[in-house]
Amino acid sequence: PIGDKATKGKPNTPGVFQLYSNGMKSNRDAWVYNFSARAVEENVRRMIEFYNSQIGVEQPDMDPTKISWSPALLAAHKNHKDIKVVAESVRESMYRPFCKEQLYSEPSLIERPGQLSKLFPTPAHENIAFGSVGRGATKGFSVLMVDTLPDFELISKAQWMSLYTYEPVVEEDGGFNLNLGGVEVVDGYTRKENITDATLAAYRSTYGDEGIAKEDIFYYIYALLHHPEYREKYAADLKKMLPRIPLAKGFWEYSRVGRALAELHLGYESVEPYPLDEVASSPAPEGLEELFEFYRVQKLKFGPKKDRTRIQYNGHLTLKGIPEEAYEYQVNGRSALEWVIDRYQVKTNKESLITNDPNDYCRTVNNPRYIVDLIKRLVTVSLETQKLVGTLPRFEVLED
């Protein structure tokens, strides 16, 4: 098993990974997520101030434009618990596939933070993790890797398996408690490899190769979970439980492909853009502020009659020449390009009346063309993913 719920977090777990976590489940996404860090902080500050004003009020005000109540927040209210704003808790997260947003990650406003504080404790603690579609999800099986906090529905109901785990170093009687087996200390945390020693020993023994490292196994699994034959053979099981990881022939081929897939999926913002045609009714202006306005999006859409070879970017710009194969790479129920169209639009939440504007993210990264280039880059990511998966060896199990 990739992970075992009964022994999760214990060194003797039979799972490949010692620890894993569900994604961030806030129960108030409109308040704690936004393309703008400033908007997140302002919304959270406003909500917390209102919450604190309701302490001691027997029947709190349920106005959804002032606050988003949830079972945990109502319990805190009942216990007269004050909440403080922690500005440094606003950090980057992956909200949906290939869509980063700013998140207020302080547990006081997160209904179910899971074990993510042990995977991504602070922005200074580097890690990577992958999640695959979880039990109870209605989406087809898929998997994606991230290097920042994942949302609960980034990959629907996924459990996230990380390369490393982190634990705070605890000071005891003037010394430090370092009995956690950490390979190193990083900014006040011990960092451990998350794949178990027993797994490493089993892989080295089965493949007769002492050169295999835990990181190699991590990438092997990422490639394996992309393999169409693996997905087809275990389709029924993958709907009911966490994936089971067989030892297949061609370990190093899988591991190399997995590493290449990880580089592609983590580095999607910097891959070579696919050469789509940019058809504009007027030339792009020269000034930076004018460029932000020129490339401003309101709602992306496909061409007339749902022509998927083109995306109408805004009133004066269309991107043409999208190959149909780009839509064959699916993650969490949609192609990468369909995720861009779904997420990169100006939206106002009906309950809170909070607006989320992707143009704010373009300003955050100081790139007026961010969304244009993202579309082009995701065509590359989609095509290259399929090429890499196509190079995997035939799926043959050595040992179940």
Side-chain angles (χ1 to χ4, degrees), residues 80-311:
H80 296 257
K81 186 178 178 183
D82 258 359
I83 295 178
K84 291 181 171 59
V85 178
V86 184
E88 57 268 27
S89 288
V90 178
R91 54 188 289 197
E92 192 172 78
S93 73
M94 190 70 82
Y95 184 61
R96 292 293 180 268
F98 312 109
C99 176
K100 289 177 180 171
E101 293 195 21
Q102 303 300 312
L103 164 68
Y104 183 74
S105 60
E106 178 64 22
S108 60
L109 293 190
I110 303 296
E111 190 73 2
R112 282 177 52 197
Q115 300 280 331
L116 288 177
S117 63
K118 296 180 179 180
L119 275 54
F120 299 99
T122 78
H125 293 87
E126 294 183 356
N127 207 354
I128 53 178
F130 60 78
S132 57
V133 167
R135 190 175 62 182
T138 56
K139 318 282 174 77
F141 185 82
S142 61
V143 59
L144 189 65
M145 193 172 291
V146 299
D147 56 7
T148 188
L149 290 168
D151 181 72
F152 188 71
E153 286 295 333
L154 163 59
I155 296 291
S156 189
K157 299 169 178 56
Q159 297 290 341
W160 293 87
M161 311 286 166
S162 61
L163 183 59
Y164 301 113
T165 59
Y166 290 92
E167 291 278 358
V169 174
V170 181
E171 191 169 350
E172 291 181 351
D173 300 326
F176 288 100
N177 169 21
L178 294 178
N179 63 352
L180 298 166
V183 290
E184 58 185 311
V185 177
V186 182
D187 285 344
Y189 287 78
T190 57
R191 186 175 84 170
K192 292 170 62 177
E193 291 179 302
N194 193 20
I195 287 176
T196 66
D197 291 342
T199 299
L200 178 63
Y203 274 69
R204 286 178 171 177
S205 170
T206 300
Y207 292 108
D209 189 342
E210 290 295 310
I212 292 174
K214 291 181 180 181
E215 188 174 298
D216 302 318
I217 299 171
F218 184 80
Y219 292 119
Y220 162 89
I221 296 170
Y222 193 54
L224 180 79
L225 294 177
H226 278 86
H227 203 306
E229 293 174 44
Y230 168 85
R231 292 182 179 187
E232 185 179 351
K233 182 172 182 178
Y234 300 111
D237 292 331
L238 291 170
K239 290 177 182 175
K240 295 182 292 189
M241 62 180 76
L242 285 172
R244 296 183 69 83
I245 307 301
L247 284 80
K249 289 183 182 176
F251 173 85
W252 285 109
E253 292 171 81
Y254 280 93
S255 190
R256 279 191 288 270
V257 170
R259 192 178 291 269
L261 286 169
E263 287 176 6
L264 189 62
H265 298 158
L266 295 174
Y268 71 91
E269 292 172 297
S270 57
V271 300
E272 187 67 28
Y274 188 84
L276 299 179
D277 295 326
E278 295 183 35
V279 181
S281 57
S282 59
E286 292 186 6
L288 184 61
E289 197 55 42
E290 290 77 10
L291 282 170
F292 276 115
E293 202 52 45
F294 183 83
Y295 290 111
R296 181 173 180 78
V297 296
Q298 187 68 33
K299 183 174 171 61
L300 301 164
K301 57 185 178 181
F302 288 120
K305 297 180 181 177
K306 296 186 179 178
D307 177 3
R308 301 202 305 176
T309 67
R310 64 178 69 189
I311 289 175

Side-chain angles (χ1 to χ4, degrees), residues 346-366:
V346 181
K347 283 186 179 178
T348 299
N349 180 263
K350 290 178 182 176
E351 291 187 344
S352 66
L353 303 183
I354 292 171
T355 297
N356 196 9
D357 186 345
N359 299 289
D360 291 337
Y361 192 79
C362 298
R363 290 185 178 273
T364 297
V365 297
N366 198 32

Side-chain angles (χ1 to χ4, degrees), residues 34-53:
N34 203 283
F35 282 109
S36 162
R38 188 177 68 180
V40 170
E41 191 171 339
E42 287 174 356
N43 292 332
V44 163
R45 193 174 294 279
R46 180 163 58 91
M47 180 173 148
I48 288 176
E49 283 174 4
F50 182 76
Y51 164 84
N52 286 333
S53 77

